[in-house]
Amino acid sequence: MHNEPDFLAHLRSELSSWRTWLDRTIVLAYAVAAGGFVVLFTLVSDWVSAQFFKGFGHTPWLVLVTTPLLTAGIVWITRKWVPTAGGSGIPQVKAALHPDLPAGQHHRFVSLRLTLAKMGLGAAGFAAGLSIGREGPSVQVAAGVMQHARRWLSRGSSIGTRELLLAGGAAGIAGAFNAPLAGVVFAIEELSGRIESRASGLIITAIVLAGLVAVSVFGNTSYFGVIRVPDLRWPGALWPGVLVTLVCGAAGGVFSRLLIASITGVPERLNRWRARRPVAFAAICGLVIAIIGLATGGATFGSGSEAVKEMLQGHAELTPIATLLKFVATWLTAWCGVPGGIFAPSLSIGAGLGHAVALLSDPSLGPALIALGMAAFLAAVTQAPLTAFIIVMEMVDGHAMVLSLMAAAMLASLVSRMISRPLYDTLAEHMVAAVRKPMAPDAVDTAATDEPVQAGRADPPLAR
């Protein structure tokens, strides 16, 4: 039989330890700092991206020079000094949380040093016009800030590195998308698989504080505004919705499988050449991305978020050819190994597929099918359907489409699982295996999305 809580006894216990309150204050301060870093990264990335498009509008052909040069420079810096800053950042956080990672090795994947490198090199990727997003990198950015709090906590603190990494990763997603619910679900579904009771309060606190920092700068508005949802009466909207879901599920599965194959060594001949000449490979990829961007009038450059906003409002469209080329540009960007995520480009590709189906069926269903396409393609790529549909729901203020988005994300994820292994889990295991089985620096593949660290390197003590 349980006794009733003794309020006064609990109050005395809480107030008796000044060190406990100091630990809590430190964690709260780091949560605010994590939100500040995400906001700073957002502001810098958006400004740099705007400058790129301004320059592209003035002198389009210049990208044939700047994009290859910047891409090669980014890859050279990344591989030489911060190999685990490459890619989206989500697999790095998952690797840092992996149970098979040797004790004390999380700093190889998440640290303040990597946070600063991720922000600077990610912004450079936007300056090059590469098809990247900032949302995935925000996970590594915020986790790198939060884990640094551990050095200031007392030895007996119940808050460990794992809890701080989970809180930071969740805060990164919540702050980047302005989607607090997605942050909670992301921590459970993608990063951890389960949340211990002692970590749940820390995660929610980090999300709230990081979210408040973001809201204070950007306002309490949804990422893509509010969409006008048409009357989705069945069966008229049934077949277009199912078609979007199946197409996005298959395309997302192929995209995920393509990334995994490219990063982990297939095709072997190209990857062997890339391992020998990573900077030259990056320059060639940058040139192809620049040519694709020129051919599409700039539609494939950057994250694609602005194009999605215009499409949802009915002011623009992403043609099927441009959508396919966005798919190719995102794959090439990820393959060459620059720091940058795939969340925003995936949403753009899904939106383009949804828009194409709307043109084939009923243009009045456009906003709804675009939203379904975003949720379905993101769920197929990440195989995290709960996170995907909540992200899209919060980004478009689409509470009227909750059931439709949920169904699309779940079905697309099932289709993807028939085609590809889970993307982030596979990449994280690839990184952990590289740490557990030391290799010569030249033999460790660090030239793709979310690379494993070179086995012989470690961050300096101040970065840990």
Side-chain angles (χ1 to χ4, degrees):
M1 185 173 180
H2 297 288
N3 296 324
E4 292 296 327
D6 188 332
F7 173 77
L8 292 178
H10 280 292
L11 182 62
R12 284 193 297 269
S13 176
E14 287 289 328
L15 297 177
S16 62
S17 175
W18 66 269
R19 183 67 217 197
T20 298
W21 282 98
L22 179 59
D23 286 348
R24 292 172 180 172
T25 302
I26 290 170
V27 171
L28 294 180
Y30 270 92
V32 172
F37 272 78
V38 171
V39 167
L40 178 61
F41 183 41
T42 300
L43 291 173
V44 172
S45 298
D46 289 350
W47 182 83
V48 170
S49 184
Q51 299 308 304
F52 167 82
F53 281 106
K54 183 178 179 180
F56 177 75
H58 186 264
T59 315
W61 62 265
L62 195 59
V63 297
L64 296 174
V65 178
T66 58
T67 298
L69 287 178
L70 283 172
T71 305
I74 292 168
V75 169
W76 181 76
I77 293 172
T78 301
R79 290 179 63 90
K80 187 172 180 63
W81 284 294
V82 282
T84 52
S88 84
I90 294 174
Q92 285 92 325
V93 177
K94 288 178 70 70
L97 291 164
H98 201 285
D100 293 337
L101 184 71
Q105 297 299 308
H106 68 273
H107 65 274
R108 292 176 176 264
F109 304 107
V110 181
S111 68
L112 270 183
R113 175 172 175 261
L114 289 170
T115 288
L116 296 174
K118 194 77 166 190
M119 294 170 66
L121 293 170
F126 283 104
L130 300 175
S131 183
I132 56 176
R134 56 172 174 75
E135 293 79 12
S138 295
V139 173
Q140 192 178 14
V141 166
V145 175
M146 283 298 295
Q147 66 83 33
H148 194 264
R150 189 65 190 90
R151 63 166 48 208
W152 304 111
L153 301 180
S154 61
R155 291 184 178 275
S157 175
S158 62
I159 303 173
T161 300
R162 177 179 175 82
E163 289 75 27
L164 292 169
L165 288 173
L166 287 172
I173 282 290
F177 284 112
N178 195 14
L181 289 178
V184 175
V185 175
F186 175 77
I188 298 173
E189 183 180 40
E190 189 63 73
L191 292 183
S192 175
R194 62 185 176 86
I195 296 294
E196 300 85 352
S197 59
R198 66 178 184 177
S200 60
L202 176 60
I203 290 171
I204 294 174
T205 300
I207 289 173
V208 169
L209 292 177
L212 286 175
V213 174
V215 167
S216 67
V217 176
F218 303 116
N220 191 20
T221 58
S222 57
Y223 193 95
F224 288 137
V226 181
I227 65 169
R228 297 178 184 143
V229 180
D231 188 4
L232 298 176
R233 293 182 182 272
W234 309 110
L238 177 59
W239 78 264
V242 172
L243 180 59
V244 167
T245 300
L246 294 178
V247 169
C248 288
V254 170
F255 183 73
S256 178
R257 183 166 180 168
L258 191 60
L259 284 180
I260 291 172
S262 301
I263 292 163
T264 58
V266 180
E268 294 183 3
R269 181 175 298 178
L270 280 176
N271 274 309
R272 283 199 299 267
W273 186 81
R274 181 195 59 163
R276 291 194 302 269
R277 300 285 187 272
V279 177
F281 182 87
I284 292 172
C285 288
L287 179 60
V288 175
I289 292 166
I291 293 172
I292 290 174
L294 278 174
T296 58
T300 59
F301 287 131
S303 67
S305 297
E306 290 301 320
V308 174
K309 291 178 183 179
E310 295 295 321
M311 290 169 65
L312 286 170
Q313 300 302 321
H315 301 318
E317 66 178 38
L318 192 64
T319 66
I321 294 298
T323 301
L324 175 62
L325 292 176
K326 180 69 173 175
F327 182 106
V328 174
T330 305
W331 165 51
L332 291 176
T333 299
W335 194 5
C336 67
V338 301
I342 60 171
F343 266 57
S346 294
L347 293 172
S348 176
I349 295 168
L353 293 173
H355 180 73
V357 173
L359 294 179
L360 289 174
S361 57
D362 184 355
S364 67
L365 296 174
L369 294 180
I370 288 170
L372 289 178
M374 289 193 292
F377 191 84
L378 183 59
V381 172
T382 63
Q383 293 186 16
L386 294 178
T387 301
F389 98 78
I390 290 177
I391 283 176
V392 175
M393 181 190 71
E394 293 191 274
M395 289 175 74
V396 302
D397 196 10
H399 294 81
M401 294 184 61
V402 169
L403 294 178
S404 300
L405 293 171
M406 187 185 302
M410 295 299 292
L411 179 56
S413 181
L414 288 175
V415 173
S416 175
R417 289 174 191 273
M418 300 178 188
I419 300 172
S420 172
R421 292 173 290 164
L423 175 63
Y424 293 139
D425 285 342
T426 304
L427 296 180
E429 290 168 3
H430 186 59
M431 297 176 195
V432 172
V435 173
R436 289 177 59 83
K437 184 179 179 181
M439 301 169 62
D442 290 341
V444 179
D445 182 10
T446 59
T449 310
D450 316 312
E451 309 311 322
V453 70
Q454 293 178 347
R457 295 183 66 138
D459 291 335
L462 289 178
R464 299 183 183 180

